Amino acid sequence: MDDDQSAEETAFVVDEVSSIVKESLEAVIGRNTYEHKRVNQWTSGVVEQCLGQLSKLGKPFKYIVTCIIMQKNGAGLQSASSCFWDNTTDGSCTVRWENKHLYCIVSVFGLAI
Amino acid sequence: MDEDQSAEETTFVVEEITTVIKETVESTIGNNSYQHSKINQWTSNIVELSLSQLTKLGKPFKYIVTCIILQKNGAGLHTASSCFWDNSTDGSCTVRWENKTIYCIVSVFGLAI
């Protein structure tokens, strides 16, 4: 094993992942209003772009990315997640993003191989 | 390695997990209407109960359970998820449940250790 390998290269770095997610959201959705026909494209676009950027990091992780897009019209939404994993190596990060017309919640889970 | 070990004991069995999740959601929410003060409890209960039932199955998996509860009031909601894992051993399952005032979406991801 590489003794010189920095701990950062094999840990789940929340800030790094957060920025990747925020950039994907800005790029895919930006200022668009909620459009029923396009939402499908947006959710797929966001998860695929995030996953592509995450796998480019080259870390020994399996990733799960989930994205929720909700129209702003007063409905209540609650989301929770629970994980059974290895606390020392695995991690998650959730990003809440909004514009004038919609809310978007993206969660990334990284599990060490 | 145990050659007699049935393949079922180490794969992600969607039907089994779907049943576990449906029972958990029924027992937690049942016929209740959407109540802002209770949904925090409900989402937490659902993910925790589901996770403990899954760990009782005793399979060599890491699990991630996510739960979304949404009030029925006409808002549009779209969710997507993308996974970077080992296709031969890992799997996921999503259960959609509803009653008169609530939609509930539970996703389970199982990743082989």
Side-chain angles (χ1 to χ4, degrees):
Chain A
M1 299 294 282
D2 233 1
D3 279 70
D4 297 3
Q5 191 170 33
S6 154
E8 276 191 17
E9 287 176 22
T10 51
F12 187 84
V13 184
V14 175
D15 298 328
E16 191 177 29
V17 174
S18 263
S19 349
I20 289 177
V21 172
K22 285 178 186 163
E23 283 167 16
S24 301
L25 286 168
E26 285 288 343
V28 176
I29 307 178
R31 290 188 194 163
N32 285 311
T33 51
Y34 184 92
E35 286 166 64
H36 183 69
K37 292 178 196 171
R38 294 179 71 190
V39 167
N40 200 0
Q41 248 175 281
W42 290 339
T43 45
S44 306
V46 168
V47 293
E48 283 166 16
Q49 197 163 333
C50 288
L51 205 53
Q53 297 292 337
L54 288 167
S55 43
K56 280 184 194 165
L57 295 176
K59 296 189 178 184
F61 277 92
K62 291 181 178 179
Y63 293 105
I64 292 171
V65 182
T66 65
C67 171
I68 302 166
I69 294 184
M70 186 171 94
Q71 188 180 12
K72 276 190 180 180
N73 92 334
L77 176 87
Q78 177 82 1
S79 162
S81 64
S82 187
C83 311
F84 181 71
W85 60 22
D86 183 341
N87 272 340
T88 51
T89 54
D90 305 332
S92 71
C93 147
T94 300
V95 175
R96 266 195 64 200
W97 183 93
E98 61 182 285
N99 68 16
K100 276 190 184 174
H101 316 276
L102 52 90
Y103 291 112
C104 184
I105 304 171
V106 179
S107 292
V108 179
F109 302 90
L111 292 90
I113 296 174
Chain B
M1 298 293 282
D2 228 2
E3 292 190 30
D4 296 3
Q5 192 169 32
S6 153
E8 276 192 16
E9 288 177 21
T10 50
T11 51
F12 190 83
V13 183
V14 176
E15 291 84 17
E16 192 178 25
I17 292 177
T18 304
T19 317
V20 168
I21 303 295
K22 282 185 182 159
E23 284 169 11
T24 306
V25 178
E26 277 290 337
S27 62
T28 305
I29 307 180
N31 282 333
N32 284 314
S33 326
Y34 184 92
Q35 288 166 66
H36 182 70
S37 51
K38 286 197 173 169
I39 64 168
N40 200 359
Q41 232 177 294
W42 290 340
T43 44
S44 305
N45 272 351
I46 290 171
V47 293
E48 281 165 29
L49 281 173
S50 302
L51 203 56
S52 57
Q53 296 292 342
L54 290 167
T55 50
K56 281 184 193 166
L57 297 174
K59 297 189 178 184
F61 278 92
K62 291 181 178 178
Y63 293 105
I64 291 170
V65 182
T66 64
C67 170
I68 301 163
I69 293 184
L70 176 70
Q71 188 180 14
K72 276 189 179 179
N73 91 335
L77 177 88
H78 206 96
T79 72
S81 64
S82 187
C83 311
F84 181 72
W85 60 22
D86 182 339
N87 271 340
S88 52
T89 54
D90 305 331
S92 71
C93 136
T94 301
V95 176
R96 268 195 62 200
W97 182 95
E98 62 181 286
N99 68 15
K100 280 192 182 168
T101 50
I102 295 176
Y103 287 115
C104 179
I105 303 170
V106 180
S107 292
V108 179
F109 301 90
L111 292 89
I113 295 176

